Amino acid sequence: MTTLGAVFRPQLPPERLRDVVRVGEEVGLEELWLWEDCFREGGISTAAAALAWSERMRIGVGLLPVPLRNVAVTAMEGAALHRMFPGRAILGVGHGVQDWMGQVGARAESPLTLLHEHLDALRALLRGERLTVDGRYVRLDDVALDWPPAGPVPVLAGAEGPRTLRLSGAAADGTVLTSSTSPDGVRRARRIVEEGRAAAGRDAAEPHEVVVYLLTATGPGAAARLRAELAAEGLESVSGLGVAGDAGAVAEAVRRLAEAGADTVVLQPTGDEPDPEGFVRFTAEEVRPLVP
């Protein structure tokens, strides 16, 4: 079955999060995803609050930009979330937007090397291993978590280009694709991820979850809002991106992504969505029943 989620966009002030979480929990939303976009809201702080305000809903962070984070801190925070809220936190890491990384003096000369080193160390620390690492970017001297998670913690990687997709297959437990990914793009990404998994000797029977965001607009002015957001991102000429309309239209777009290889589809409202709580309710109560 396809998992269906929704995004709390960081264009909203953080004090709005509690009401959105409350509605998501009330209507049975499966997953609520948060972003650590510069310079808006911290991913771990908002995830911890959302997990504390809910009892069942899974909370995803997609993505934590690795240039901003020492891997030991990411591991400590991720482990704490999983011990306090077992099985409900979803961790995703990625390159981060390079212009933003430059603004804070954290831009890496080789983002791919940094992400690879971070993934390897993060997954090992979360497994409870003790590490000494002298990499190009990640350096650890006899580091282990005092409070590792009680069980396995999947770590997802955000990826777009072929090299990062192959790295995600080789070194991550799942892949997060942006809303600029069409169904054909999902098929291509899945193929490249599998190439990376095979090259790294990963067990073909191991699950590798593919998560994709779907830019979604519903209600009055939906088509105009969708067009405006795609134009602002320079994507108006790309076919197959986003959906505007009622629950049936959105469910059909979700099905196309699922058939292309997505395990989880996360509905991403436009940045000017007028009713974030209503969007979550729409996702769970109207779209979910129409998605296999």
Side-chain angles (χ1 to χ4, degrees), residues 180 215 226-241:
S180 63
L215 185 60
L226 178 66
R227 284 196 302 270
E229 181 129 340
L230 289 172
E233 297 293 328
L235 298 170
E236 67 271 31
S237 63
V238 182
S239 63
L241 296 185

Side-chain angles (χ1 to χ4, degrees), residues 36 42-48 51 61 64-65 68-85 89-91 93 118 122 125-126 145-149 153:
E36 189 165 80
I44 296 295
S45 55
T46 50
L51 287 161
V61 184
L64 298 169
L68 287 179
R69 297 182 155 271
N70 184 287
V71 69
V73 174
T74 308
M76 290 160 59
E77 292 178 329
L81 290 182
H82 275 273
R83 289 186 70 103
M84 291 187 290
F85 311 101
I90 305 167
L91 295 179
V93 298
H118 196 105
L122 177 59
L125 289 169
L126 290 171
L145 297 176
D146 283 6
W147 297 106
V153 174

Side-chain angles (χ1 to χ4, degrees), residues 14-181:
E15 59 268 25
R16 290 291 299 274
L17 178 59
R18 186 168 191 167
D19 285 343
V20 172
V21 170
R22 177 185 56 79
V23 171
E25 186 79 357
E26 173 190 311
V27 299
L29 184 71
E30 294 158 88
E31 295 182 357
L32 183 70
W33 283 71
L34 310 170
W35 297 349
E36 189 165 80
D37 275 5
C38 296
F39 299 96
R40 294 180 172 123
E41 293 151 11
I44 296 295
S45 55
T46 50
L51 287 161
W53 290 329
S54 59
E55 295 183 358
R56 180 206 52 78
M57 189 165 52
R58 294 186 297 275
I59 304 297
V61 184
L63 300 162
L64 298 169
V66 299
L68 287 179
R69 297 182 155 271
N70 184 287
V71 69
V73 174
T74 308
M76 290 160 59
E77 292 178 329
L81 290 182
H82 275 273
R83 289 186 70 103
M84 291 187 290
F85 311 101
R88 292 206 295 125
I90 305 167
L91 295 179
V93 298
H95 295 308
V97 176
Q98 295 306 295
D99 287 347
W100 291 341
M101 299 304 100
Q103 281 182 270
V104 298
R107 188 165 186 165
E109 184 176 343
S110 176
L112 201 69
T113 301
L114 170 56
L115 182 58
H116 198 166
E117 292 181 357
H118 196 105
L119 280 166
D120 285 349
L122 177 59
R123 293 175 69 233
L125 289 169
L126 290 171
R127 289 193 298 266
E129 297 179 17
R130 182 172 296 275
L131 295 186
T132 295
V133 176
D134 185 20
R136 180 173 178 181
Y137 297 103
V138 173
R139 297 181 177 86
L140 301 171
D141 182 9
D142 194 33
V143 173
L145 297 176
D146 283 6
W147 297 106
V153 174
V155 177
L156 281 61
E160 289 188 80
R163 291 195 301 165
T164 309
L165 287 164
R166 286 191 185 92
L167 171 60
S168 183
D173 302 299
T175 301
V176 181
L177 305 174
T178 72
S179 62
S180 63
T181 311

